[in-house]
Amino acid sequence: MEAEANSGSPEDSWAFFQRPGEGCRTVPLAGHVGFDSLPDQLVNKSVSQGFCFNILCVGETGLGKSTLMDTLFNTKFEGEPATHTQPGVQLRSNTYDLQESNVGLKLTIVSTVGFGDQINKEDSYKPIVEFIDAQFEAYLQEELKIRRVLHTYHDSRIHACLYFIAPTGHSLKSLDLVTMKKLDSKVNIIPIIAKSDAISKSELTKFKIKITSELVSNGVQIYQFPTDDESVAEINGTMNAHLPFAVIGSTEELKIGNKMMKARQYPWGTVQVENEAHCDFVKLREMLIRVNMEDLREQTHSRHYELYRRCKLEEMGFKDTDPDSKPFSLQETYEAKRNEFLGELQKKEEEMRQMFVQRVKEKEAELKEAEKELHEKFDRLKKLHQDEKKKLEDKKKSLDDEVNAFKQRKTAAELLQSQGSQAGGSQTLKRDKEKKNFF
Amino acid sequence: MSKGLPDTRTDAAMSELVPEPRPKPAVPMKPVSINSNLLGYIGIDTIIEQMRKKTMKTGFDFNIMVVGQSGLGKSTLVNTLFKSQVSRKASSWNREEKIPKTVEIKAIGHVIEEGGVKMKLTVIDTPGFGDQINNENCWEPIEKYINEQYEKFLKEEVNIARKKRIPDTRVHCCLYFISPTGHSLRPLDLEFMKHLSKVVNIIPVIAKADTMTLEEKSEFKQRVRKELEVNGIEFYPQKEFDEDLEDKTENDKIRQESMPFAVVGSDKEYQVNGKRVLGRKTPWGIIEVENLNHCEFALLRDFVIRTHLQDLKEVTHNIHYETYRAKRLNDNGGLPPGEGLLGSVLPPVPATPCPTAE
């Protein structure tokens, strides 16, 4: 039962324990309670669940990204080298299950393919940024679900980004600066100088200084190893000064002295990968894996992911405080949005209704027109019909008259004929004459 | 974090091809994960140390609630568990308080440290529970309090700019004190546990176990266990949350043999056989609290603190809190359940406590 103060603890954790108004006082323990096993309990649980770690390697084709990953994790990951003829930048990602003693690690390595090979590299950084954002988005979506399973969720967010710098010996390329600037607020960037056996020692120091000053002057935030925990502050502090690390990767083993070591053989000598005088590979491995893996994961979650989440939610229109800096609850924002939405809906409904009414009116008018026309036509036809009827009747009448007249004449003629036959034959002439006259 | 490997207990050399479900990468690639044979030491296992250091730096918090009729020795037991004066009775000057007319909820926080591990312990006491003549619905203030803590946490979690570490006031563990009648559970006990076992981890405890002989004790325990089972009350450790076979066998043993723990509490020390032990002095002998032959206090302490503390917190966070959250986001909002940012916005808090999840 020790009340030994942890002198290296930052303000944060103490302030947490002394919240005002709660009367929290430190109470001494009269015996061994046993909750000092709590970190072990926590760790055991995590071990049984397994850890995951995601590394993104960004760099031009041929800088040795895959080889470095192989060397770092002491194993041969699969994959063939990419060609230089890729039309655009793509990301290739692979997941591996590694096991060491009782710790299982799900390692995901994402590599850029075709970075820096195009003629026009303006959009080269875009696929990378989109990929990182997509992982954040996936996590955010899972977090916002109603039924979510966060504790078994496979975390695919990128925890560390190794940026491979070409060993020109002069300065950073503008493509590097632009890409790093775009990535620095989204991921922990660790810049490394690749294939550093191409640079001599003196050139290397100058190169490192130039790179660091360029990064600072352009405001690029690279990952700083944390120096607040006293047990690692010292080593992290010295390592921070060695950034960017100059590394060499090799999976070939050569016999040097009486040990098998990873090395690269040249006619003028052998470069040993794990020799600190030859390159910074050991430092990189220490920093990346053995000292700061957990911190990288935490920074990704608490800084980069929170930033992304905040921007995304603000984009959607949710706020925490309004312009008068009075805290809003999401509740009020929601109500406001909802009313807005309902209002819009109502407006649309009104519009549609009006449009409908108008259409109906138009159609009605049209139909009325048509009806009128039909009536007119009908009237016209009727009139026509009557006219014709009348005409026909007239004609009939006249014909009838003629027929009657003819009949009368016929009877008159017959009468005359019968009289004439009595009066002699002269009447026949008369009759003939009359007949002729008649016709 | 996903369950990484199928079996961490066999040898390191594995050679199975396990296809992994990938959550839509920007560039859809061949989803293959292989178990690689490592050719040398990398240092992945140092992550354990890193994690341990980090958690020790941030500290832990633990909130324990004690429920039971007055006079069952709740405060004394909590003091004994944490070997310090952490209960309500110790913090206030007035040792002889009147029994309150309604159930009150009193939360008192302390910081205790051991072996470099800092813990903020909050003891939530419920004076007045079960003490009235008419005890109907006396569990409601307690349920309300528990849901209020979930609500507080949810509000913090839904904020746009979130705190780095959300203060956790949710009740991780609820010790329910059963009166040692020797017969069976009271209707009040059953009602309370039925309602609350769905929102919080309940650990039933038989109080003042020094009033029962060994046979009476084991019979009582059996009867209590049977009654709990018959009434469908799932106390912690719940069967449905056992993660793997090892957990299951371990928890089964606890569930079927030891629980409910029959405990005796005391904060006074006496000399026994040359050692100073916590105990209760009676004319016929000294009852040693930490002696397994006398009572099961040591089992309770080991169970709650030394082995299952973290698990209590995790079950609260991953299961009870998630259930509350899901219900909250579904209820009363007219919102479609499921994905989408709109589903994240909170509807107004319902006037009555949320119906407990099935």
Side-chain angles (χ1 to χ4, degrees), chain A residues 107-135:
Chain A
L107 178 72
T108 306
I109 300 183
V110 187
S111 253
T112 53
V113 172
F115 188 74
D117 278 334
Q118 293 77 36
I119 294 179
N120 181 0
K121 297 181 239 189
E122 266 179 8
D123 294 338
S124 291
Y125 69 87
K126 283 199 190 138
I128 306 175
V129 171
E130 276 167 15
F131 180 80
I132 297 177
D133 279 347
Q135 309 315 308

Side-chain angles (χ1 to χ4, degrees), chain A residues 355-395:
Chain A
M355 208 160 50
F356 178 71
V357 165
Q358 196 166 352
R359 282 246 190 93
V360 166
K361 272 204 190 121
E362 278 176 27
K363 207 67 197 244
E364 231 179 289
E366 249 177 72
L367 284 173
K368 274 213 173 94
E369 273 285 325
E371 206 182 336
K372 208 162 96 180
E373 245 176 85
L374 276 173
H375 275 294
E376 278 180 22
K377 208 167 176 191
F378 178 67
D379 286 340
R380 243 193 335 212
L381 280 173
K382 196 163 166 191
K383 189 155 175 257
L384 224 82
H385 168 78
Q386 277 185 339
D387 284 347
E388 285 221 358
K389 194 168 173 192
K390 190 155 179 240
K391 242 199 284 186
L392 278 172
E393 278 186 8
D394 284 347
K395 221 171 177 186

Side-chain angles (χ1 to χ4, degrees), chain A residues 2 4 6 10 13-14 16-17 19 22-43 45-47 49-51 72-75 77-78 91-93 95-106 108 131 135 141 143-148 150-154 156 228-229 231-232 285 289-295 297-298 302 305-306 309-310 313-314 316 318-320 330-331 334, chain B residues 1-5 8 14 20 22-27 29-30 32-48 50-61 81-85 91 109-115 117-120 157-162 164-165 167 243 301 305-311 314 318 321-322 325-326 329-330 333 335-341 343-348:
Chain A
E2 259 325 307
E4 179 184 73
N6 190 356
S13 57
W14 274 116
F16 172 73
F17 282 114
R19 267 183 301 163
E22 279 238 14
C24 274
R25 38 181 243 267
T26 314
V27 183
L29 297 178
H32 180 70
V33 177
F35 61 87
D36 51 353
S37 64
L38 198 48
D40 289 320
Q41 292 180 33
L42 179 65
V43 161
K45 256 223 182 319
S46 308
V47 165
Q49 281 175 343
F51 301 90
L72 208 55
F73 291 101
N74 257 335
T75 177
F77 296 124
E78 47 174 50
L91 287 123
R92 187 163 43 182
S93 123
T95 310
Y96 307 98
D97 279 319
L98 304 175
Q99 165 95 334
E100 202 169 67
S101 50
N102 60 339
V103 177
L105 180 73
K106 214 175 199 47
T108 306
F131 180 80
Q135 309 315 308
Q141 287 302 324
E143 199 185 26
L144 291 177
K145 272 198 199 150
I146 293 195
R147 281 187 198 290
R148 57 189 192 182
L150 267 183
H151 56 284
T152 47
Y153 178 74
H154 170 76
S156 60
D228 44 8
D229 186 354
S231 52
V232 291
R285 186 177 56 195
I289 301 177
R290 295 191 190 164
V291 178
N292 295 308
M293 206 191 312
E294 185 57 29
D295 186 66
R297 276 151 43 107
E298 196 192 306
S302 60
Y305 170 70
E306 286 295 317
R309 177 178 175 274
R310 194 176 6 198
L313 290 182
E314 275 176 6
M316 295 258 164
F318 298 111
K319 317 198 271 290
D320 272 345
L330 266 179
Q331 163 72 26
Y334 167 70
Chain B
M1 291 194 265
S2 64
K3 271 204 182 273
L5 300 171
T8 54
M14 282 170 241
E20 288 289 338
R22 308 258 329 147
K24 40 173 187 150
V27 180
M29 282 294 171
K30 219 172 11 142
V32 166
S33 100
I34 58 173
N35 293 339
S36 316
N37 274 331
L38 298 179
L39 307 171
Y41 178 68
I42 303 175
I44 299 176
D45 49 1
T46 56
I47 196 172
I48 296 186
Q50 298 174 32
M51 193 178 241
R52 181 178 293 145
K53 260 194 240 147
K54 241 190 213 311
T55 49
M56 289 199 21
K57 203 170 66 169
T58 48
F60 302 88
D61 37 359
L81 260 179
F82 291 101
K83 292 242 172 42
S84 54
Q85 304 292 313
S91 313
H110 299 277
V111 173
I112 46 182
E113 184 178 338
E114 188 179 61
V117 179
K118 272 193 280 288
M119 182 154 90
K120 180 168 180 301
E157 203 189 25
V158 170
N159 260 342
I160 307 274
R162 299 197 281 210
K164 192 150 177 166
R165 194 168 160 220
E243 283 179 353
R301 179 200 56 205
I305 299 179
R306 293 186 190 172
T307 53
H308 284 74
L309 193 69
Q310 183 60 27
D311 191 53
E314 292 209 354
N318 291 332
Y321 170 69
E322 290 294 324
R325 178 179 174 276
L329 296 181
N330 263 329
L335 294 168
E339 292 93 342
L341 274 170
S344 80
V345 184
L346 303 179

Side-chain angles (χ1 to χ4, degrees), chain A residues 120-346:
Chain A
N120 181 0
K121 297 181 239 189
E122 266 179 8
D123 294 338
S124 291
Y125 69 87
K126 283 199 190 138
I128 306 175
V129 171
E130 276 167 15
F131 180 80
I132 297 177
D133 279 347
Q135 309 315 308
F136 282 148
E137 184 64 32
Y139 191 85
L140 183 65
Q141 287 302 324
E142 180 66 30
E143 199 185 26
L144 291 177
K145 272 198 199 150
I146 293 195
R147 281 187 198 290
R148 57 189 192 182
V149 271
L150 267 183
H151 56 284
T152 47
Y153 178 74
H154 170 76
D155 190 3
S156 60
R157 300 173 293 184
I158 303 292
H159 300 124
C161 170
L162 294 178
Y163 196 92
F164 287 69
I165 300 171
T168 57
H170 299 305
S171 62
L172 283 176
K173 299 190 183 159
S174 42
L175 172 65
D176 294 339
L177 275 171
V178 164
T179 314
M180 278 204 264
K181 193 91 182 81
K182 292 278 178 203
L183 292 178
D184 69 353
S185 57
K186 292 192 179 285
V187 76
N188 301 316
I189 298 186
I190 302 177
I192 57 183
I193 301 172
K195 296 199 167 176
S196 59
D197 48 351
I199 317 182
S200 73
K201 259 259 171 337
S202 50
E203 285 171 357
L204 192 62
T205 8
K206 268 192 267 173
F207 192 31
K208 280 194 185 182
I209 295 175
K210 192 81 189 0
I211 293 180
T212 340
S213 67
E214 278 199 342
L215 289 175
V216 164
S217 61
N218 280 285
V220 174
Q221 305 256 1
I222 56 174
Y223 176 72
Q224 295 295 321
F225 302 116
T227 46
D228 44 8
D229 186 354
E230 56 178 11
S231 52
V232 291
E234 204 188 302
I235 185 172
N236 278 344
T238 42
M239 290 302 176
N240 273 330
H242 282 279
L243 280 174
F245 293 129
V247 293
I248 300 167
S250 168
T251 43
E252 287 169 12
E253 295 214 344
L254 302 168
K255 198 171 176 82
I256 299 171
N258 49 0
K259 284 206 301 178
M260 292 297 284
M261 285 200 199
K262 290 194 274 271
R264 285 174 65 77
Q265 180 126 61
Y266 290 108
W268 48 86
T270 319
V271 182
Q272 293 156 30
V273 169
E274 285 177 341
N275 187 334
E276 293 215 44
H278 290 196
C279 77
D280 295 334
F281 173 80
V282 174
K283 294 196 185 73
L284 174 67
R285 186 177 56 195
E286 277 293 306
M287 286 295 101
L288 188 62
I289 301 177
R290 295 191 190 164
V291 178
N292 295 308
M293 206 191 312
E294 185 57 29
D295 186 66
L296 283 164
R297 276 151 43 107
E298 196 192 306
Q299 291 279 344
T300 309
H301 178 71
S302 60
R303 192 146 63 97
H304 300 292
Y305 170 70
E306 286 295 317
L307 182 64
Y308 174 82
R309 177 178 175 274
R310 194 176 6 198
C311 293
K312 197 67 199 291
L313 290 182
E314 275 176 6
E315 218 179 284
M316 295 258 164
F318 298 111
K319 317 198 271 290
D320 272 345
T321 61
D322 69 355
D324 304 319
S325 68
K326 256 188 304 156
F328 247 129
S329 58
L330 266 179
Q331 163 72 26
E332 289 172 34
T333 320
Y334 167 70
E335 284 295 311
K337 268 200 159 239
R338 186 176 180 200
N339 290 336
E340 198 186 307
F341 179 66
L342 283 177
E344 262 183 47
L345 214 71
Q346 263 185 333

